[in-house]
């Protein structure tokens, strides 16, 4: 792949001035790529770009604040970078952003739904509109639309919104179905109590590992999350769905107007709970009320960081 | 809820010290008849209210939550209620996805002199919550199990 | 122990019904994309084709267990000194964990040395351990993250199980491993295994062959100690770690816990909950000092504990069952095998210097 070679070349050239460059290398399973921290040209050789580069590289950036660092991004990752810049959690001048046009990433959980045990997958590759997965039973081909992450179906930002080195020809936005809207539709079709019971059932298997939080590029409190303080006692050590749902509410509300919907929270969940739904709903509210989308404009002020004396779309309660 | 056992619901009110809390007081001094379901928590400003206060109350089994602050442009701290308005509006949009009916949470503005208005707000909100009935969270989210089975144990001086 | 028996596929449900009559049966089912152990329900299909996402460790070591309840009672005689009533909550009732893989059941042998051995006895753990039986299903094929054979186990390891099932054409070969297990397979549903024992042996051999060549982890014990102060080494290895708790909470051998009092008014409960050494709070001291301030320190502890410190305390036994859950479920592909091998490699290089 010519573009990838050119990208590697650019990274090698930039390395001497950088602490490291964050990208991806093949992960422990053929369906995953793992974040790679490149410090030497030999590290750069391991860089991959393709349908398994799901992890969001922006999650590591705030820890590098004050040091000059490079990062390879997909379009969606670049929105997290933009949001971090907006919130002054990283400095643009300390970043060197490398990017290529992204054709989407696979959703391991969807693939598992088709082929069963991912531990048995020995090879996986994308061939245009299909994903080919090799298991002991042989090779299974599934349509890419059914294997890719929901966000990729109608991705509006396949090309990085911010970059210093962009290799390859920009892609047009994807035209697929709006999976987020479909999900919201399913939620809205339920009666309120039914919806709560649905959450109670889904959250029951939550193990409170907080991978959703730690994988989130906008969760910048890191070691000092309010979910782990004893005073105030936001969540207790009790094991019920009430505590688990409270934590989800904490995460979601702290992301209101900041979430770029990269979906890392849900991807990181080891027990596959569809927690992105809460963030999607909040993003819809923010879009409706403030006509705002997070991580698109480095100059924009996130809506909950500011106000207007007369709010155009807030209907003051007249009683 | 000894007096109206079974008929009262649990409503939590977060009221700004500088306006609505005074408004509620004015209503009391004026001896306006009010429903008694509301439990008031006084806060220094509606801007002090973390939307999570509301979520925590609702997940804990509150049947309704009311926030009341100073009218826009009237904030004691100049802009607290402007920030609050944005946060609470976003919260209002989010609660239904967790399974709370839209009417279980409201926010409004009542000044210290508006005793009559407070009476109307609290009456109307209480009626709204009674129309919705007890919160689904009480049963679905399995509140803390009852304590002490009565099978006997040790006791000591703390 | 007893002779091998045979259970036809068609009798599986009847056996589960029989087991459920007297005890709580936990069995794997699919929820979303995850496989979790839940109380057996004949109406919900079992998921036995792959290892569970969440191991059955909660059966003996719950994510949250109540140790006692307490209540402060006002004493009119001494108004300043309320009476504290305390009631312990020891677990009751028998449990059968059905359909775990050998690695999931073997994890408890690691716990036993800590919670229920020699002079140490944790009454909560011991009561649950005694009341819980494991009916384990031997693996048919290794997964890409499996390395049970590196840590002295294997796809049909009976260690830690009470009954071992092996899938053969038409049903299961059933072997009672312990007395506790023998009591579960006494009913008329079982027939002697006879010639099927050959099929059982073949299945075990086939599973064994699907594993790669094991690596020798014995040198890891010293190698990890040697690398203890090399924080540059650990920083590089932990760079991608997100410091979440997925690896530890899903680990069948991670047994760290926290104890807290959760009070509401004058009454409350003392709870023991899973803790996780990847968390900053795990070693945070009251003074504010934290001896493991970075994720590098914490990952070092996780690997060191399993492959060096624990073996050092318990006669060389490795505190890892090789199930690979930490690898499969890590959102960023941290691979504990690579970490251990990197430490071994580091020691080898140093010895050549």
């Amino acid at each position: 792949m010519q573009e990838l070679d050119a990208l590697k070349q650019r990274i090698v050239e930039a390395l001497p001035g950088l602490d490291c460059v964050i990208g991806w290398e093949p992960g422990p399973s053929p369906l995953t790529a793992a974040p790679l921290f490149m410090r030497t040209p030999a590290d750069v050789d391991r860089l991959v770009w393709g349908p398994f580069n799901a992890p969001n590289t922006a999650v590591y950036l705030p820890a590098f604040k004050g040091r000059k660092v490079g990062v390879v991004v997909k379009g969606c990752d670049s929105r997290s970078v933009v949001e971090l810049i907006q919130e002054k959690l990283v400095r643009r001048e300390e970043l060197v952003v490398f990017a290529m046009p992204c054709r989407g990433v696979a959703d391991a959980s969807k693939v598992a739904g088709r082929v069963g045990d991912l531990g048995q997958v020995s090879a996986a590759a994308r061939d245009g509109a299909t994903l080919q997965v090799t298991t002991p039973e042989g090779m299974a081909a599934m349509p890419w639309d059914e294997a890719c992450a929901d966000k990729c179906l109608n991705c509006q930002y396949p090309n990085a919104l911010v970059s210093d080195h962009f290799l390859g020809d920009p892609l047009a936005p994807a035209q697929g179905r709006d999976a987020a809207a479909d999900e919201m539709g399913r939620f809205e079709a339920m009666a309120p109590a039914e919806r709560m019971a649905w959450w109670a059932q889904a959250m029951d298997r939550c193990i409170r590992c907080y991978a959703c939080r730690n994988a989130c590029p906008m969760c910048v409190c890191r070691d000092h999350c309010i979910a782990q303080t004893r005073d105030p006692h936001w969540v207790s050590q009790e094991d019920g769905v009430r505590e688990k749902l409270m934590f989800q509410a904490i995460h979601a509300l702290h992301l209101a107007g900041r979430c770029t919907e990269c979906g890392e929270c849900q991807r990181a969940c080891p027990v596959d709970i569809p927690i992105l739904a809460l963030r999607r709903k909040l993003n819809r509210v923010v879009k409706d009320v403030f006509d705002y989308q997070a991580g698109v404009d480095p100059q924009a002020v996130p809506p909950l960081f500011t106000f207007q004396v007369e709010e155009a779309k807030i209907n003051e309660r007249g009683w | 809820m000894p007096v109206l056992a079974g008929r009262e619901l649990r409503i939590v009110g977060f009221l700004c010290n500088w306006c609505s809390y005074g408004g509620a007081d004015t209503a009391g001094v004026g001896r306006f008849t009010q429903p008694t379901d509301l439990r008031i928590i006084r806060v220094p400003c509606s801007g002090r209210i973390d939307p999570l206060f509301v979520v925590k109350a609702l997940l804990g089994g509150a049947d309704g939550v009311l926030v009341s602050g100073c009218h826009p442009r009237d904030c004691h701290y100049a802009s607290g209620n402007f920030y609050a308005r944005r946060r609470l509006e976003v919260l209002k949009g989010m609660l239904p996805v967790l399974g709370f009916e839209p009417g279980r949470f409201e926010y409004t503005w009542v000044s210290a002199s508006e005793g009559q208005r407070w009476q109307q707000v609290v009456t109307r909100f209480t009626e709204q919550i009674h129309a919705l009935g007890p919160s689904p969270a009480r049963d679905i989210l399995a509140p803390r199990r009852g304590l002490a089975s009565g099978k006997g144990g040790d006791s000591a001086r703390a | 122990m007893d002779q091998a028996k045979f259970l036809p596929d068609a009798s599986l449900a009847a056996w589960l019904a029989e087991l459920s009559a007297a005890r709580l049966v936990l069995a794997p089912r699919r929820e979303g994309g995850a496989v979790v152990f839940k109380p057996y329900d004949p109406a919900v299909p079992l998921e036995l084709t792959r290892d569970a996402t969440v191991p059955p460790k909660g059966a003996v070591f719950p994510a949250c267990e109540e140790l006692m309840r307490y209540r402060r009672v006002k004493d009119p005689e001494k108004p300043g000194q309320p009476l504290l009533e305390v009631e312990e909550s020891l677990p009751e009732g028998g449990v059968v964990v059905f359909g775990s893989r050998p690695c999931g059941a073997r994890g408890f042998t690691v716990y036993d040395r800590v919670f229920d051995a020699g002079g140490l006895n944790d009454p909560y753990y011991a009561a649950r351990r005694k009341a819980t039986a494991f009916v384990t299903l031997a693996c048919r094929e290794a997964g890409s993250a499996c390395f049970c054979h590196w840590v002295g186990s294997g796809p049909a390891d009976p260690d830690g199980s009470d009954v071992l099932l092996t899938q053969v054409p038409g049903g299961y070969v059933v072997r009672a491993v312990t007395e506790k297990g023998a009591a579960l397979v006494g009913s008329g549903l079982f027939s002697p295994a006879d010639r099927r024992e050959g099929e059982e042996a073949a299945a075990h051999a086939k599973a064994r062959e699907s594993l790669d060549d094991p690596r020798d982890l014995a040198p890891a014990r010293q190698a990890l100690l040697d690398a203890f102060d090399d924080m540059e080494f650990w920083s590089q290895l932990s760079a991608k770690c997100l410091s979440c708790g997925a690896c530890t909470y899903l680990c069948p051998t991670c047994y760290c816990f926290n104890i807290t009092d959760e009070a509401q008014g004058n009454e409350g409960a003392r709870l023991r909950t899973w803790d996780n050494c990847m968390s900053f709070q795990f070693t945070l001291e009251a003074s504010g000092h934290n001896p493991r301030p970075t994720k590098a320190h914490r990952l070092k502890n996780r690997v060191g504990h399993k492959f060096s410190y624990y073996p050092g305390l318990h006669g060389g036994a490795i505190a890892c069952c090789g199930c690979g859950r930490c690898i499969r479920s890590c959102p960023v592909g941290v691979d504990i095998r690579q970490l251990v091998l990197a430490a071994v490699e580091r020691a080898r290089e140093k010895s050549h210097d």
Side-chain angles (χ1 to χ4, degrees), chain A residues 54-124:
Chain A
N56 185 342
T57 44
V59 70
Y60 301 103
L61 294 179
F64 284 90
K65 197 176 179 189
R67 287 180 281 169
K68 196 147 181 171
V69 65
V71 63
V72 190
V73 294
K74 310 185 290 292
C76 48
D77 305 339
S78 80
R79 284 185 63 193
S80 306
V81 175
V82 170
E83 181 65 29
L84 289 168
I85 294 170
Q86 281 179 265
E87 298 181 27
K88 300 182 173 58
L89 294 163
V90 300
R91 297 194 187 95
R92 180 67 185 92
E93 61 274 19
E94 285 172 359
L95 288 182
V96 179
V97 183
F98 301 87
M100 297 211 290
C102 175
R103 291 180 165 77
V105 292
D107 180 331
S109 147
K110 285 190 189 175
V111 179
R114 179 66 76 96
V115 305
D117 190 354
L118 293 184
Q120 301 289 345
V121 172
S122 56

Side-chain angles (χ1 to χ4, degrees), chain C:
Chain C
M1 282 274 61
D2 294 7
Q3 272 197 319
K5 295 178 177 174
F6 177 71
L7 180 75
D9 281 329
S11 302
L12 183 61
W15 185 32
L16 283 164
E18 195 181 286
L19 292 174
S20 304
R23 320 162 190 78
L24 174 67
V25 175
L26 297 172
R29 65 161 78 160
R30 198 189 291 216
E31 283 193 2
V35 179
V36 294
F37 282 87
K38 284 282 168 76
Y40 172 64
D41 176 352
V44 180
L46 294 170
E47 174 55 277
L48 297 174
T49 63
R50 54 177 154 136
D51 195 7
T53 318
V54 185
K57 77 169 170 179
V60 179
F61 190 69
C64 174
E65 81 179 308
E66 190 179 277
L67 301 179
M68 65 172 206
R69 294 172 184 201
Y70 58 86
R71 184 188 353 218
R72 281 176 222 283
V73 188
K74 283 226 170 76
D75 180 358
E77 302 286 308
K78 295 184 178 174
Q81 267 188 308
L83 202 62
L84 188 68
E85 287 178 357
V86 175
E87 198 179 276
E88 68 179 1
S89 340
L90 274 169
E92 289 164 4
V95 177
V96 169
V97 175
F98 180 87
S100 150
R101 298 303 170 96
C103 49
R106 189 173 181 266
F108 289 108
T109 62
V110 171
Y111 284 61
D112 290 341
R113 298 183 195 98
V114 178
F115 289 110
D116 195 15
L120 293 167
N121 171 274
D122 181 298
Y124 300 91
Y125 175 83
R128 280 208 170 80
R129 182 79 165 108
K130 201 169 156 225
T132 307
F134 289 86
V135 176
T136 302
L137 179 65
C139 291
R140 301 170 71 177
E141 188 122 32
S144 55
C146 292
F147 62 108
C148 55
H149 57 317
W150 294 25
V151 296
S153 182
D157 188 350
D159 193 16
S161 300
D162 298 291
V163 176
L164 184 70
L165 308 181
T166 306
Q167 238 173 339
V168 294
Y172 300 87
V173 171
V174 181
R175 263 178 208 278
V177 180
T178 63
E179 295 287 352
K180 210 195 299 183
L184 301 177
V185 296
S187 85
L189 295 167
F190 300 91
S191 56
D194 298 335
R195 62 177 172 79
R196 291 192 177 86
E197 286 190 64
E199 291 169 352
E200 182 201 24
H204 290 179
K206 181 167 172 278
R208 186 85 207 189
E209 276 163 26
S210 69
L211 289 157
D212 58 6
D213 289 334
R215 302 291 291 262
D216 178 20
L217 296 182
R221 191 164 147 192
Q222 188 55 43
L224 285 161
L225 290 179
D226 293 345
F228 191 87
D229 290 319
D230 188 352
M231 284 317 293
E232 181 55 32
F233 171 77
W234 290 105
S235 296
Q236 301 258 344
L237 286 185
S238 65
K240 65 184 168 187
C241 172
L242 295 170
S243 213
C244 76
C247 50
T248 54
Y249 287 165
L250 294 177
C251 175
T253 66
C254 269
Y255 52 74
C256 287
F257 60 82
N258 193 9
I259 293 181
T260 48
D261 286 354
E262 297 293 352
Q264 211 169 42
N266 282 325
E267 43 188 37
R270 177 158 297 178
L271 306 177
R272 167 156 75 183
T273 43
W274 291 350
D275 206 347
N276 134 41
C277 60
M278 297 291 103
S279 156
F280 178 81
Q281 282 74 18
F282 187 76
T283 48
L284 180 62
E285 294 170 10
S287 66
H289 171 67
N290 195 337
R292 291 184 205 148
T294 70
K295 63 184 180 185
H297 290 87
R298 304 196 282 268
L299 195 62
K300 174 178 77 173
N301 176 69
R302 178 170 158 78
V303 179
H305 181 238
K306 292 194 177 300
F307 294 91
S308 180
Y309 324 147
Y310 184 100
L313 290 168
H314 299 287
I318 293 174
C320 169
C321 59
C323 69
R325 283 187 177 82
C326 55
I327 304 167
R328 281 198 299 274
S329 289
C330 178
V332 290
V334 174
D335 187 336
I336 198 165
R337 293 171 296 191
Q338 286 175 4
L339 303 180
V340 179
L341 294 179
V344 173
E345 180 61 16
R346 178 189 171 279
R348 205 180 56 80
E349 279 171 14
K350 293 270 175 200
S351 70
H352 285 288
D353 285 347

Side-chain angles (χ1 to χ4, degrees), chain A residues 184 187 191-197 199-200 226 233-236 238 240-243 245-254 256 277-278 281-282 285-286 289-290 302-311 313-319, chain B residues 50-53 55-57 59-61 66 72-73 78-79 82-83 85-87 89-102 105-110 117 120-122 124-125 128 135-138 140-145:
Chain A
M184 280 305 127
F187 264 92
E194 199 185 341
R195 224 173 286 160
M196 188 175 289
W199 277 115
I226 64 160
H233 204 38
W234 281 109
V235 285
S236 81
E238 288 161 291
V241 288
R242 192 178 50 162
E243 306 305 309
L245 215 42
M246 183 66 203
F247 174 75
Q248 290 304 321
I250 290 174
H251 188 214
L253 278 166
H254 281 182
L278 272 179
K281 175 66 185 172
L282 270 169
V285 175
V286 167
V289 179
F290 306 111
L304 296 188
F305 291 22
T306 182
F307 64 86
Q308 288 188 331
V309 174
E310 299 292 340
E311 298 282 5
K313 291 192 182 167
I314 296 183
N315 173 26
E316 302 279 344
R317 260 136 271 285
W319 52 279
Chain B
D50 187 328
L52 291 171
F53 292 177
V55 180
K56 178 101 178 157
L59 288 177
L66 176 70
R73 297 175 203 268
S79 57
F82 289 134
Y83 287 104
R85 184 170 60 186
R86 286 199 157 197
R87 287 179 205 142
E89 188 68 21
V90 166
L91 174 70
K92 210 165 169 5
M94 178 205 147
L95 287 173
V97 83
L98 287 173
F100 295 104
E101 297 90 337
F105 163 66
E106 298 286 359
Y107 69 98
T108 188
W109 321 121
V110 175
R117 182 173 153 73
Q120 287 162 8
V121 163
V122 73
R124 204 175 137 192
F125 186 67
Q128 183 171 318
S135 162
R138 285 205 215 172
I140 298 172
L141 301 183
R144 184 193 294 267
R145 286 162 293 174

Side-chain angles (χ1 to χ4, degrees), chain A residues 258-280:
Chain A
R258 308 171 61 230
C259 171
T260 58
E261 241 173 271
C262 68
E264 284 290 270
C265 46
Q266 185 162 318
R267 188 188 68 82
C269 180
V271 290
D272 200 36
I273 304 173
I275 46 177
L276 186 56
L278 272 179
R279 287 86 178 155
R280 281 175 169 160

Side-chain angles (χ1 to χ4, degrees), chain B residues 52-74:
Chain B
L52 291 171
F53 292 177
V54 179
V55 180
K56 178 101 178 157
L58 288 173
L59 288 177
D63 300 304
V65 178
L66 176 70
V67 166
S68 187
C70 303
H71 290 276
R73 297 175 203 268
D74 242 5

